[in-house]
Amino acid sequence: MIQVRQDMHVHSTFSDGRDTIAENAAEAECLGLIELTCVDHVRAGTDWVPDYVREVRRVNVTTAVELRCAVEAKLLDVAGNLDLPHGLQNVDAIYAADHQVPLIDGPHTPSEVKAMISEGSLSAEEVLEAIVTATANSLRVGCPVVIAHLFSLLPKLGLSEEQVPLMLIEELAASTADSGSQIEVSERWRCPSTRTLGPFLKRGVQLLLSTDSHRSDTIGRYDYCQRVVEALESPMAPQRSSPTP
Ligand SMILES: [Zn+2]
Ligand SMILES: [Zn+2]
C-alpha cells in the first residue's frame, strides 16, 4: 500500500525554497500529513548541512508530523558519483537527481545532449542507458538513496519514458530493491509513469509521494500522484499479481 498522507520532498530556505523548515512542517501538520521529508539541494562545496540537520531535528520535536532529513544531489556520471559535500553525516537519505545528463565524462546540460542526439554523435538509446546506469550505480553510495523524479529530464531531451526499454527499468528496479532504496513519484515533474513504477512496486520497493515543493502552499497537494496511485492499486493493473482469494 502506498501512503498518501505524506510529502517526501520539500525544499526550505536552506537551499532554494521560499519557506523555513518550521513553516513547511506547520503546513504539513495543518493538512494532516503523517510524514514530511525536508530535502535541500547540496553540492560538493555545501557547508551548512550540520546546521540544516540540527534545524530539522529541532522542528521535529515540535510537530505531530514525522520529519525526515534528506539532501538532493545531482548525478554526475555513469559511475553514479553524486555532487555531494565530503563527509556528509546524519542525514536520513540522499535524493539522487537527474538534473543534468550523467554521461561517462561527467554531467551535460539537456540542450547539449539534445544537440548531440540530433547531430548523431550520441543515440537516444545510449542516453537512456546512461541515465539508468548512473542511477543504479548511485544506489551504492552507502547511505539510503531515494531516486528523485526519475526521467524528468527526458522531455527536455525530446525523449519520452515510453522509449526506455522495459529491460533497463526491470534491472534498475531490481537494484533498487536489493539495496533497500526507494523511488519517488513526483507531482512537480509528473514522473515516473505507471509503466516505469510497476516493476518497482512488483519487487516491493517503497514508492514515496512528493511534490518537490519550493513553497509551503503547494505541500501535499496531489493530482498526478493520486492518479498514479489509483492506477497502480487498481486490481486491473497489469503490473500487480491478482490477490489470492
Ligand atoms: Zn530535483
Ligand atoms: Zn527537489
Side-chain angles (χ1 to χ4, degrees), residues 72 97 99 149 212:
E72 177 172 15
H99 291 150
H149 47 65
D212 205 345

Side-chain angles (χ1 to χ4, degrees), residues 5-215:
R5 285 168 65 196
Q6 64 176 200
D7 192 336
M8 307 305 264
H9 189 154
V10 172
H11 291 272
S12 79
T13 48
F14 272 91
S15 62
D16 56 354
R18 186 192 68 178
D19 300 310
T20 64
I21 289 167
E23 288 164 339
N24 290 338
E27 177 67 19
E29 191 170 346
C30 257
L31 290 170
L33 300 190
I34 294 168
E35 303 167 282
L36 179 82
T37 304
C38 303
V39 179
D40 274 300
H41 294 286
V42 294
R43 317 186 69 152
T46 299
D47 61 2
W48 43 256
V49 174
D51 294 337
Y52 167 68
V53 173
R54 213 171 298 122
E55 179 61 5
V56 176
R57 306 303 182 213
R58 184 191 72 78
V59 176
N60 189 38
V61 298
T62 70
T63 171
V65 184
E66 188 186 333
L67 298 187
R68 296 208 312 158
C69 179
V71 293
E72 177 172 15
K74 174 171 84 236
L75 286 161
L76 292 172
D77 51 31
V78 173
N81 289 305
L82 292 159
D83 195 0
L84 283 174
H86 187 69
L88 183 71
Q89 276 184 327
N90 301 326
V91 295
D92 300 317
I94 294 168
Y95 280 53
D98 56 352
H99 291 150
Q100 295 199 352
V101 186
L103 297 180
I104 212 147
D105 61 345
H108 292 258
T109 64
S111 55
E112 235 181 312
V113 173
K114 197 175 178 186
M116 285 155 94
I117 295 171
S118 63
E119 77 200 14
S121 57
L122 200 61
S123 70
E125 292 71 28
E126 287 170 318
V127 172
L128 296 173
E129 188 165 353
I131 294 171
V132 174
T133 307
T135 304
N137 286 335
S138 76
L139 306 177
R140 302 190 216 131
V141 70
C143 173
V145 170
V146 176
I147 301 173
H149 47 65
L150 180 64
F151 300 139
S152 66
L153 263 185
L154 300 189
K156 297 180 195 168
L157 303 171
L159 304 174
S160 84
E161 273 191 66
E162 295 299 306
Q163 290 172 265
V164 184
L166 213 43
M167 181 70 97
L168 280 183
I169 297 173
E170 294 279 358
E171 285 169 11
L172 179 59
S175 308
T176 308
D178 290 348
S179 61
S181 305
Q182 298 166 325
I183 186 167
E184 71 171 4
V185 189
S186 177
E187 182 67 29
R188 181 177 187 207
W189 299 99
R190 306 179 93 74
C191 66
S193 66
T194 50
R195 170 182 179 267
T196 298
L197 291 165
F200 288 85
L201 198 58
K202 195 174 68 186
R203 287 175 174 79
V205 174
Q206 199 181 349
L207 309 189
L208 306 178
L209 302 197
S210 76
T211 58
D212 205 345
S213 282
H214 286 65
R215 43 193 291 169

